[in-house]
Amino acid sequence: MRWFVYWIIVATGILLFVDNDHRVEWSKWMFVGFICVEAITIFVYIYIRSVYPKLVLILSQRYHNFWDIQPHIKQDQYTRRALFVWGKRYKFSYTGSINEQNLPHGYGKWTSEWRLGESLSGYWENGIPIGPFDSREYRTGYAFSNVRIGFATSCAGPFTVTSFKRAPELLFGVGCVECSVSGRFFSDLPKARVILDPFKDRNYDVDTVVRQIIHPDDFPESKTASAKRNTLIIDNTDQGLYLRGYVPENDAAYEKVVIERTENEDFDYSWQIKGWKLSPKPKEAIVFVPGFNCSMEAAFRLFGQMITLGTIPSYLKPFVFGWPGGNLIGVRKAVRVAQSQQVTDDFIKFIQELTRAGFTKFHLICHSMGARVVNAACKDFHRVFRLIPRNRRSSSTLSQVHHLPVLSSITYINPEALLNPFCEEYVDIIRNHTSLITIYGNNRDIALKTAEALEGFNPILGCNVNGIRSAFGGGDIENYSETIRYLMEVDVIDTTELDMNIHLARHSYFNLNKFIVDDVFDLIITRNRAKDREHRLLNIRGNVYGFLSAPSYVVT
């Protein structure tokens, strides 16, 4: 589309070099030429974007020998002719599961050496890659990733629309989203689609939804699965050593970790850890709560891009909680809906259903007005989350001694919630359920500044990074000791000075900024506080931290 502007610039530039005596005559010819060139540009754009893909699809379906596929001399490899070029042939191969029609079905790997071919590893359904999968273009190296996400929504839908209309019951479904992750980011990505659609088909039960949220590492054929099993995370906590994926056999294991390398009959190496044993496969859920005017499709694009850039492990299952967030002209109504008892009941029911499905740990991520949804629901957290015992040894054993799951972390990203109620009321409730509370704020967030004006200039949490300590009563060093009980359990990350992959409004950039993406998943996976993420964060004052990053204009 940029060529529409380019032709205008070219035509204007030519007229500048024409003398006044011939400018009128040249203008007529330039206008005719400009119209012709713009018409050709429109035709080429429509052909490439719409006609060409449909033409190839129709021809390949109608004529089975359209691609002239022939076996190659190497096993499991084939060749095909190039599109509309009868002489040249390209190699491709597929290894993996197939269906009765010999189409890719299940986990498999496709490789094509065509100029625009790709190498794709992941899940297929009747010949179509539907995700999860990882893909890389053969020549350019551009990389793409597709992830599956479960969702629950109380919005009447459909998937692409947001409104204030409520569904008669809480709806459950599954979707997937394909995102660019490296190289050139394509303008039509992220692209979300529904796999189990409760708006059209039927309302699916939670167990069906959970089974459909598959990860590439869930397949034994995946090479990444075996590679990640050779990684051991050891965290030095206040209670002692903590190993991800293991449970201690006795209290002495918290003080010392002894690892021995062993070799099996197939000459494969593995390790044994004395005093520790593998814990049952964990079921942890990351629940994303979007802001207002955000359809389920838009929430998938936001959260999906964040997941693909963060590369979460297979034991973390992503979910989106949708609520009737309305539209841009209904901001005040959206605030009332977000804090309504109906939305709170839906959120609590969603957590209860996931708990019934076997999830023992939860991580909440809320963006913008989604913070109001979580804050309003926190008064009922005692119904769905465990209270923190002050003499606990490690969070890894909490779910094994109580029927309620653990709220492992809660993360606010540019939260559109009133500052004073959060500091005076909600924090005291939330800290009874988790000690990992993180707020990412930006003092130049235009969307939150606008919301502040609509609230009668009452301070908003996400755009008042410096005001959080004051709201706790700790505005200066002398009063710091009075608020240490709260400050030590709230990490504030100031993103005001970040300017990489951040748009002008500075509100919905969290899913593209690699500093924030890596930091969020760092705290979720390792559960390290901000003070322990010193390789990325610098303590500015009190409980406020900033990223170690140079501004975009600084180059060498």
Side-chain angles (χ1 to χ4, degrees):
M1 297 297 289
R2 61 180 180 272
W3 280 100
F4 289 104
V5 180
Y6 290 166
W7 292 131
I8 297 175
I9 296 174
V10 170
T12 304
I14 292 176
L15 289 176
L16 291 177
F17 290 96
V18 178
D19 57 75
N20 295 331
D21 296 336
H22 300 85
R23 183 162 294 175
V24 175
E25 183 179 354
W26 271 79
S27 297
K28 294 179 180 178
W29 287 105
M30 287 296 297
F31 179 76
V32 174
F34 172 74
I35 295 299
C36 293
V37 171
E38 290 285 25
I40 294 174
T41 303
I42 294 175
F43 173 78
V44 172
Y45 177 82
I46 295 175
Y47 177 77
I48 294 176
R49 289 281 183 170
S50 180
V51 177
Y52 175 79
K54 291 180 180 178
L55 179 63
V56 173
L57 183 61
I58 292 173
L59 290 176
S60 60
Q61 289 178 344
R62 183 169 298 179
Y63 303 102
H64 297 292
N65 200 34
F66 177 76
W67 297 105
D68 190 22
I69 298 175
Q70 298 178 6
H72 191 254
I73 56 176
K74 292 185 178 180
Q75 188 177 5
D76 296 330
Q77 285 193 355
Y78 301 85
T79 64
R80 68 168 180 84
R81 62 175 174 83
L83 188 63
F84 304 132
V85 181
W86 300 99
K88 196 169 184 179
R89 303 187 66 84
Y90 292 97
K91 291 187 297 183
F92 72 91
S93 66
Y94 172 80
T95 56
S97 302
I98 58 175
N99 61 10
E100 295 178 354
Q101 290 76 36
N102 291 326
L103 295 174
H105 188 78
Y107 183 85
K109 182 175 182 179
W110 166 280
T111 302
S112 173
E113 296 182 2
W114 182 44
R115 179 175 60 87
L116 297 178
E118 61 182 333
S119 174
L120 187 150
S121 300
Y123 191 80
W124 301 67
E125 187 175 90
N126 298 321
I128 304 296
I130 65 169
F133 62 73
D134 293 308
S135 171
R136 185 179 297 274
E137 283 194 356
Y138 180 67
R139 293 289 177 87
T140 64
Y142 301 155
F144 313 90
S145 185
N146 184 302
V147 294
R148 288 198 184 186
I149 303 174
F151 67 89
T153 180
S154 55
C155 185
F159 189 75
T160 58
V161 176
T162 182
S163 68
F164 290 116
K165 187 177 180 180
R166 287 181 53 83
E169 59 178 333
L170 194 62
L171 303 176
F172 294 89
V174 177
C176 64
V177 56
E178 181 180 358
C179 307
S180 297
V181 294
S182 181
R184 179 177 295 176
F185 274 48
F186 285 31
S187 59
D188 57 341
L189 298 179
K191 185 176 182 180
R193 57 165 289 189
V194 192
I195 297 176
L196 300 181
D197 191 351
F199 303 112
K200 295 180 179 180
D201 303 330
R202 59 182 176 84
N203 191 12
Y204 296 88
D205 61 86
V206 176
D207 294 327
T208 302
V209 168
V210 172
R211 284 195 300 269
Q212 287 293 322
I213 308 177
I214 54 179
H215 188 278
D217 289 356
D218 294 333
F219 300 98
E221 301 92 338
S222 173
K223 293 182 179 180
T224 57
S226 59
K228 290 187 177 181
R229 281 196 293 267
N230 291 327
T231 302
L232 180 66
I233 298 176
I234 303 177
D235 188 22
N236 186 19
T237 68
D238 294 337
Q239 293 78 28
L241 297 176
Y242 170 64
L243 276 67
R244 169 69 62 179
Y246 292 81
V247 292
E249 295 178 347
N250 49 62
D251 290 342
Y254 288 106
E255 311 299 332
K256 182 171 62 174
V257 175
V258 179
I259 303 175
E260 291 184 348
R261 190 181 190 217
T262 60
E263 182 179 352
N264 59 25
E265 297 178 353
D266 298 327
F267 301 100
D268 289 332
Y269 292 98
S270 61
W271 56 38
Q272 290 184 349
I273 305 175
K274 292 186 176 181
W276 294 79
K277 62 181 179 181
L278 282 170
S279 62
K281 190 174 182 180
K283 294 187 71 172
E284 299 188 28
I286 303 180
V287 178
F288 176 67
V289 186
F292 88 107
N293 189 36
C294 188
S295 65
M296 191 58 63
E297 181 188 35
F300 264 57
R301 292 200 303 266
L302 283 171
F303 194 36
Q305 184 70 75
M306 186 178 190
I307 292 174
T308 54
L309 286 180
T311 58
I312 64 172
S314 60
Y315 65 83
L316 291 172
K317 302 299 181 183
F319 293 89
V320 172
F321 174 77
W323 55 283
N327 46 56
L328 284 174
I329 62 175
V331 178
R332 297 305 307 160
K333 184 176 180 180
V335 171
R336 295 193 297 271
V337 172
Q339 300 174 146
S340 66
Q341 187 60 45
Q342 289 177 317
V343 172
T344 294
D345 292 341
D346 289 336
F347 183 79
I348 296 300
K349 180 181 178 181
F350 174 49
I351 301 298
Q352 290 174 334
E353 287 295 308
L354 291 182
T355 301
R356 186 187 60 78
F359 286 90
T360 59
K361 298 176 184 177
F362 286 82
H363 305 270
L364 303 183
I365 301 177
C366 47
H367 173 244
S368 190
M369 200 175 288
R372 292 186 184 257
V373 174
V374 173
N375 289 345
C378 73
K379 64 181 183 297
D380 291 325
F381 276 5
H382 65 278
R383 296 167 48 194
V384 290
F385 295 125
R386 282 207 59 190
L387 292 173
I388 296 178
R390 295 305 172 185
N391 59 348
R392 65 191 178 111
R393 204 37 162 140
S394 170
S395 61
S396 63
T397 61
L398 290 179
S399 60
Q400 301 172 11
V401 297
H402 201 280
H403 68 283
L404 290 180
V406 176
L407 178 58
S408 297
S409 68
I410 182 168
T411 304
Y412 294 89
I413 302 178
N414 296 73
E416 194 282 309
L418 292 177
L419 173 66
N420 292 327
F422 175 81
C423 296
E424 296 171 1
E425 178 183 358
Y426 298 130
V427 166
D428 207 23
I429 298 174
I430 295 172
R431 64 186 295 272
N432 289 326
H433 301 277
T434 181
S435 58
L436 190 53
I437 308 170
T438 308
I439 302 171
Y440 292 85
N442 193 304
N443 291 329
R444 292 187 284 164
D445 189 322
I446 295 177
L448 296 187
K449 290 295 184 183
T450 304
E452 208 168 49
L454 294 176
E455 288 286 352
F457 295 98
N458 287 324
I460 294 293
L461 179 63
C463 61
N464 285 276
V465 174
N466 298 326
I468 295 177
R469 292 185 68 233
S470 300
F472 280 137
D476 52 63
I477 296 298
E478 287 75 13
N479 294 330
Y480 180 75
S481 59
E482 300 177 8
T483 60
I484 190 67
R485 180 170 62 93
Y486 293 92
L487 291 175
M488 289 302 292
E489 295 193 3
V490 179
D491 290 333
V492 181
I493 314 299
D494 188 354
T495 66
T496 304
E497 300 305 322
L498 281 181
D499 57 0
M500 297 294 291
N501 306 115
I502 295 179
H503 54 69
L504 182 62
R506 306 184 70 83
H507 184 63
S508 300
Y509 55 86
F510 64 93
N511 61 329
L512 281 171
N513 187 280
K514 201 64 168 65
F515 286 103
I516 297 178
V517 171
D518 286 345
D519 197 56
V520 169
F521 287 111
D522 192 354
L523 73 89
I524 287 176
I525 294 173
T526 67
R527 295 175 196 164
N528 285 334
R529 298 290 305 276
K531 62 182 176 64
D532 299 318
R533 305 196 298 274
E534 55 187 15
H535 60 287
R536 187 183 300 115
L537 300 174
L538 177 69
N539 183 249
I540 300 175
R541 58 193 168 274
N543 63 327
V544 180
Y545 296 80
F547 285 102
L548 294 166
S549 66
S552 60
Y553 61 81
V554 176
V555 295
T556 56

